[in-house]
Amino acid sequence: MKSCPKYPVIYEINTLVWLHELSEKYKKKITLASVPVNEWDYLESLGINAVWFMGVWERSPAGIKIASSNNSLMSEFRTVLPDFQDKDLAGSAYCVKNYVVDAELGGTAGLAQTRKMLAGRGIKLILDFVPNHVAPDHPWASAHPEYFIRGSEEDITSDPASFIQIGGNIIALGRDPYFPAWPDVLQLNAFNAELRKAVLDTVSEIAGQCDGIRCDMAMLMLNNIFEKTWGVRAGQKPSEDYWSALIQTIKSKFPGFLFIAEAYWDLEWELQQHGFDFCYDKKLYDRMERGSAEDVRLHLLADMPYQDKLIRFIENHDEPRAASSFSCEQEKMAAVIFSTLPGARLFYEGQFEGCKTRVPVFLGRRPKEETDKELAAFYHNLLEQINEDVFRNGSWQSCEIRGCTDSNMHRNLLSWTWRLDNMFYLIVINYGDSESRGVIRLPQEDIYGKTLHLTDVLNGEKYDRSGSEMSGNGIYVALKSWSCHFFKMEI
């Protein structure tokens, strides 16, 4: 398989829901072993570099029982699926009973077939890894209680929402320090040396079946974060961070293996230093969701080594659907922004079609929604444009933007260029709800004295402009609200 580009496009699929819908489409049970060839061909046609199959591991029956007794969750499920049935509750994809591919999805052989079909199309396979916790019925819970944060009789009496008894052992429930404990998972001890060895074996087994992993809530396992969360319960803090040892060892065994971190709390840079190839850029998402071009511009001032290792998105299985949280026109411009920035770009299955319902990771089915044909056409055009090698391996540079008068009508403008050999693109976006005007100055000095032929690949409009003007005083641009120029430039 060809190597992953510097700035890959990743496509997330909710595996259980996807296979359910394929089974309905083809009127027979479809597993990872029997996905029709034309479905793999469709994925190839998107120009993606990797597919993240979310939720392939064995889900926990104990977790299902806990979820079914949670009135708040059950109410959410019935809101999402008005015709909810008990069989729709498949269990949380992040309450893992075992790192074995669920037999209902096609088992290990089905995953191997999936990887083969993707590899034949030059597409890598990404899977989940959940470092912070496992299900109550995971084999470690009974065989290796020392792998977990432990509690006492007093803990379970005084704080029953944070501890659980498994056999003769009292174990802490998994948690994020800013929220109550999750009731369906057990907290692993990141400081335990024997756990670290077991995790290395587990990730090595996973790495033999795919090309990369997305690590759930990766920042929770950083030494300093884990110590602040669990204090003396965790024991002595190791000298080496959890991720440094793990990533280095796995990459030595599996060169080119990708590590992607779900990350928050401004810890992306630290995780990058421990070896992660890409970290979630939630801050960019939040700034785009608020509709602030100025906030986006400030975010993009960060150093390139940091920018290069971010993964950009406007939706995934944890966030609201973009079509529900952005207006249609704002979503289009947000998509242009994140898909033409350096770093990895993440799209979520259903995003192109304009799905509005976020499906909880517990469910194996989602409601039927009509495709937004206009949005789908926009996305497929955008995907075609960013499939050019310049957006995967080229050089990104921001452009200088200034007002053409004393007004602030340029404040909502964003602009940058991409260049690779003779491929040259200029992106200008009005990320605001009113008309914007300004002067865009390109950073490339070698276009001075040349004529540039500009084609807006999203609408076909053509212009000729002086390179001397574009790299000198700059060119005047006026854009209506939530619109852009996506110029392919020829010298």
Side-chain angles (χ1 to χ4, degrees), residues 200 204 207 244-257 259:
L200 178 58
S204 293
S244 294
L246 177 62
I247 293 175
Q248 181 179 354
T249 303
I250 294 298
K251 284 181 173 285
S252 68
K253 294 181 180 179
F254 301 92
F257 193 80
F259 278 84

Side-chain angles (χ1 to χ4, degrees), residues 70-366:
N70 186 309
N71 292 333
S72 177
L73 279 178
M74 295 303 291
S75 176
E76 179 186 4
F77 300 158
R78 291 189 172 95
T79 299
V80 171
L81 283 175
D83 59 342
F84 173 84
Q85 302 174 43
D86 289 344
K87 65 181 180 180
D88 293 321
L89 177 53
S92 170
Y94 294 93
C95 180
V96 177
K97 179 183 179 183
N98 217 340
Y99 282 98
V100 176
V101 183
D102 196 305
E104 283 295 306
L105 304 182
T108 302
L111 184 66
Q113 174 67 7
T114 289
R115 191 181 187 190
K116 177 182 176 181
M117 298 303 285
L118 292 174
R121 292 161 173 78
I123 301 172
K124 293 185 179 295
L125 171 63
I126 309 294
L127 300 177
D128 289 299
F129 174 60
V130 188
N132 187 66
H133 50 260
V134 294
D137 45 359
H138 188 286
W140 289 346
S142 55
H144 293 285
E146 69 275 14
Y147 290 177
F148 299 87
I149 294 290
R150 308 288 290 279
S152 65
E153 292 286 351
E154 182 181 349
D155 290 321
I156 202 166
T157 300
S158 63
D159 192 4
S162 300
F163 293 87
I164 188 172
Q165 185 160 345
I166 305 290
N169 300 292
I170 295 172
I171 298 174
L173 294 171
R175 61 174 300 200
D176 168 331
Y178 297 105
F179 295 94
W182 297 302
D184 60 345
V185 291
L186 309 182
Q187 179 64 54
L188 293 165
N189 187 349
F191 290 175
N192 183 275
E194 294 306 310
L195 170 71
R196 290 189 174 197
K197 292 178 184 177
V199 167
L200 178 58
D201 290 340
T202 297
V203 176
S204 293
E205 291 180 9
I206 295 172
Q209 302 174 73
C210 63
D211 306 295
I213 51 176
R214 176 266 192 188
C215 300
D216 185 72
M217 299 290 282
M219 73 287 176
L220 293 180
M221 305 305 270
L222 291 169
N223 276 359
N224 290 339
I225 298 297
F226 201 82
E227 183 178 45
K228 288 177 183 177
T229 304
W230 294 105
V232 296
R233 293 183 189 274
Q236 181 66 37
K237 180 170 66 174
S239 58
E240 189 170 30
D241 233 292
Y242 178 97
W243 290 115
S244 294
L246 177 62
I247 293 175
Q248 181 179 354
T249 303
I250 294 298
K251 284 181 173 285
S252 68
K253 294 181 180 179
F254 301 92
F257 193 80
L258 291 175
F259 278 84
I260 299 170
E262 179 188 19
Y264 307 103
W265 314 337
D266 295 325
L267 291 167
E268 298 84 1
W269 173 252
E270 182 175 347
L271 288 163
Q272 290 174 7
Q273 303 319 295
H274 288 301
F276 276 96
D277 297 283
F278 299 105
C279 296
Y280 270 35
D281 191 1
K282 178 66 161 57
K283 184 170 289 187
L284 176 67
Y285 168 84
D286 290 339
R287 293 180 175 195
M288 288 194 295
E289 197 273 336
R290 291 195 299 267
S292 171
E294 183 64 20
D295 283 351
V296 172
R297 185 182 302 108
L298 292 173
H299 184 61
L300 299 178
L301 295 176
D303 292 341
M304 286 306 299
Y306 172 73
Q307 300 275 358
D308 284 348
K309 290 190 174 185
L310 294 173
I311 181 166
R312 328 279 194 165
F313 54 86
I314 55 172
E315 68 171 77
N316 56 53
H317 69 266
D318 286 317
E319 303 294 345
R321 284 290 194 177
S324 69
S325 54
F326 296 81
S327 70
C328 182
E329 296 309 313
Q330 183 184 0
E331 178 183 351
K332 291 176 183 178
M333 293 306 101
V336 172
I337 290 172
F338 89 83
S339 65
T340 62
L341 289 177
R345 301 87 181 230
L346 175 66
F347 294 92
Y348 187 28
E349 190 267 334
Q351 180 176 345
F352 307 147
E353 294 78 16
C355 291
K356 293 185 176 181
T357 302
R358 188 188 73 84
V359 179
V361 294
F362 294 81
L363 299 182
R365 181 169 67 92
R366 68 181 173 193

